[in-house]
């Protein structure tokens, strides 16, 4: 079984380059922002970070495919890097420090491509998280200055902290009633949004989180960090991994209960 540690080291190098590019333009008064066809924003920093990562991957892993939010798929084969150059662009362009570069390596296997390496770097928060298949999940400044992380042991919804991104997506999918019922059962709710609640699930400071509509690049890195920390990461349909177009993550102990609520339709 491959250990993926060389790939993880490369992911840190890629993140270092992306962090330098994104922080250089964070809060810049002349930052250029466009609106994509799906009506979401994209900044010059999103494009520059993805171009940097793709350029380094072309030199370091020329045989691997790359899928990124801004420039699509390039290449083919059993190994595929999945990149979200800035997860949380709306925060980025407004000067909110909750955004991150997500980098994952996925490998073809039973059930399709699955993440085997994941790294989440949030330089404006001074935080980074990562995981490689079979090696656990960690947080720290770099590989040599890291602490292992693990999900919580909370086993009762009444004691659980639940994080989400917004209400509108749940309403659009006719899942709002179940979502609200879940919020009434848990101890605490907070709308942290984007990558951050998944990392807090992995660290054990949040017990549950879910989002109703996502792309693969939003989920791949988060998924392996959560699962290597001992948690569960599925779609709302219960299918393991980042392939359902939505996500539910938990410490594993409360996962089925969470899905039960979130699948209640109006």
């Amino acid at each position: 079984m491959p250990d993926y540690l060389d790939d993880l080291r490369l992911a840190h190098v890629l993140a270092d380059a992306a962090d330098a590019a994104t922080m250089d333009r964070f809060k810049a008064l002349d930052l250029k922002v466009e609106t994509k066809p799906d009506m979401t924003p994209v900044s010059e920093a999103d494009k520059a970070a993805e171009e940097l990562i793709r350029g380094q991957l072309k030199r370091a892993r020329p045989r691997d495919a790359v899928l990124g939010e801004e420039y699509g798929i390039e290449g083919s084969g059993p190994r595929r890097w999945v990149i979200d150059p800035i997860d949380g662009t709306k925060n980025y362009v407004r000067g909110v420090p909750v955004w991150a570069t997500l980098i994952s390596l996925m490998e073809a296997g039973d059930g399709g491509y699955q993440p085997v390496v994941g790294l989440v770097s949030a330089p404006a928060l001074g935080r980074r998280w990562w995981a490689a298949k079979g090696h656990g999940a960690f947080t720290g400044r770099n590989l040599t200055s890291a602490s292992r992380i693990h999900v919580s042991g909370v086993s009762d919804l009444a004691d659980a902290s639940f994080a989400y991104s917004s209400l509108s997506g749940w309403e659009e999918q006719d899942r709002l009633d179940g979502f609200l019922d879940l919020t009434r059962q848990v101890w605490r709710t907070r709308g942290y949004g984007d990558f951050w609640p998944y990392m807090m699930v992995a660290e054990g400071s949040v017990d549950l989180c879910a989002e109703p509509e996502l792309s693969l690049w939003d989920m791949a890195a988060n998924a392996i960090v959560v699962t290597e920390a001992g948690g569960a990461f599925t779609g709302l349909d219960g299918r393991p991994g980042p392939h359902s177009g939505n996500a539910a993550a938990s410490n594993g102990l409360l996962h089925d209960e969470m899905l039960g609520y979130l699948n209640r339709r109006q």
Side-chain angles (χ1 to χ4, degrees):
M1 174 180 169
D3 65 16
Y4 303 109
L5 294 182
D6 282 344
D7 296 307
L8 180 59
R9 283 188 280 270
L10 175 59
H12 278 271
V13 172
L14 300 174
D16 289 342
D19 287 354
T22 53
M23 286 300 292
D24 181 61
R25 299 299 290 155
F26 184 48
K27 297 187 178 182
L29 296 179
D30 61 343
L31 181 73
K32 294 181 176 65
V33 182
E34 304 169 6
T35 300
K36 294 192 285 190
D38 64 0
M39 302 308 292
T40 61
V42 57
S43 74
E44 63 182 88
D46 292 79
K47 294 179 178 180
E50 185 167 326
E51 288 168 353
L52 270 174
I53 293 170
R54 284 176 177 270
Q56 293 202 20
L57 283 171
K58 188 170 290 186
R59 292 188 294 273
R61 297 289 189 275
R63 296 183 179 180
D64 293 352
V66 181
L67 171 65
E69 179 176 11
E70 307 308 332
Y71 295 106
I73 183 74
E74 182 179 1
S76 61
R79 289 164 49 97
R80 179 181 297 173
W81 293 85
V82 179
I83 311 300
D84 189 343
I86 299 179
D87 181 54
T89 298
K90 291 176 182 178
N91 283 346
Y92 184 89
V93 301
R94 289 296 301 270
V96 178
V98 184
W99 50 271
T101 295
L102 312 185
I103 300 170
S104 178
L105 172 63
M106 304 185 74
E107 273 199 349
D110 295 338
Y113 285 88
Q114 297 298 332
V116 294
V117 168
L119 184 147
V120 176
S121 187
L125 296 176
R127 298 295 310 276
R128 186 177 286 190
W129 303 261
W130 62 87
K133 184 177 180 180
H135 290 277
F138 295 83
T139 187
R141 295 283 183 178
N142 51 55
L143 282 167
T144 58
S145 176
S147 302
R148 190 159 187 167
I149 55 177
H150 201 278
V151 296
S152 75
V154 173
S155 59
D156 191 325
L157 278 180
D159 299 323
S161 180
F162 171 52
Y164 60 96
S165 286
S166 68
L167 296 179
S168 58
W170 301 102
E171 187 171 30
E172 290 164 5
Q173 294 192 9
D174 295 327
R175 298 178 188 266
L176 186 59
D177 285 352
F179 173 88
L180 292 174
D181 286 343
L182 176 59
T183 67
R184 296 180 184 110
Q185 296 301 313
V186 298
W187 164 63
R188 191 170 189 253
T189 61
R190 285 293 183 271
Y192 301 107
D194 300 306
F195 70 95
W196 206 7
Y198 300 97
M199 298 302 98
M200 287 192 280
V201 167
E203 290 184 325
S205 52
V206 165
D207 311 297
L208 308 163
C209 69
E211 291 182 87
E213 187 174 4
L214 293 168
S215 298
L216 179 61
W217 46 75
D218 298 313
M219 297 183 280
N222 294 335
I224 188 165
V225 174
V226 169
T227 55
E228 283 292 321
F233 189 105
T234 72
L236 297 176
D237 57 7
R239 181 160 57 123
H243 296 289
S244 299
N246 45 50
S250 76
N251 62 8
L253 302 173
L254 301 168
H255 205 79
D256 290 343
E257 283 186 273
M258 173 174 60
L259 293 180
Y261 280 99
L262 296 179
N263 282 303
R264 292 180 185 174
R265 301 280 185 164
Q266 292 178 357

